[in-house]
Amino acid sequence: MWHTEYEDPEAALRASLTRLGLDYVDMYLIHWPNNGFSSPKVPMHILWPRVEALQQKGLTKAVGVSNFNVQLLADLLTYCVVKPACN
């Protein structure tokens, strides 16, 4: 998921699934932890539960992050229910 899709990750994933002709993806990633370009800004503690919900709905088998530094990962691990499968 690109930072411009933080406000509605489910809509973004469903659009991708439609374009790909799939029912689910194996893994869905938050590509880049940059809220500087998104509007409105969505804090990670709000965004991550939205991403976890995608797995619970069966739209993805796993969720993860990309390009997160150690500090961001440590923060995420304090409130996540589903740990990111990769970084």
Side-chain angles (χ1 to χ4, degrees):
M1 170 186 13
W2 194 242
H3 59 270
T4 57
E5 299 168 327
Y6 284 0
E7 191 170 3
D8 195 349
E10 184 172 343
L13 178 52
R14 286 187 184 278
S16 292
L17 291 172
T18 298
R19 286 190 303 270
L20 294 167
L22 299 173
D23 295 324
Y24 69 90
V25 292
D26 290 328
M27 184 174 295
Y28 197 57
L29 301 173
I30 296 175
H31 178 265
W32 189 30
N34 190 341
N35 245 336
F37 297 108
S38 62
S39 180
K41 297 190 183 330
V42 180
M44 197 57 60
H45 71 277
I46 301 294
L47 177 60
W48 188 253
R50 293 176 185 174
V51 173
E52 290 174 328
L54 302 175
Q55 186 176 16
Q56 294 164 356
K57 292 177 180 182
L59 300 175
T60 182
K61 298 295 182 184
V63 291
V65 297
S66 178
N67 301 308
F68 277 47
N69 63 28
V70 173
Q71 182 180 6
L72 290 169
L73 281 173
D75 178 64
L76 177 62
L77 292 174
T78 66
Y79 52 80
C80 69
V81 174
V82 176
K83 292 181 183 177
C86 72
N87 180 24

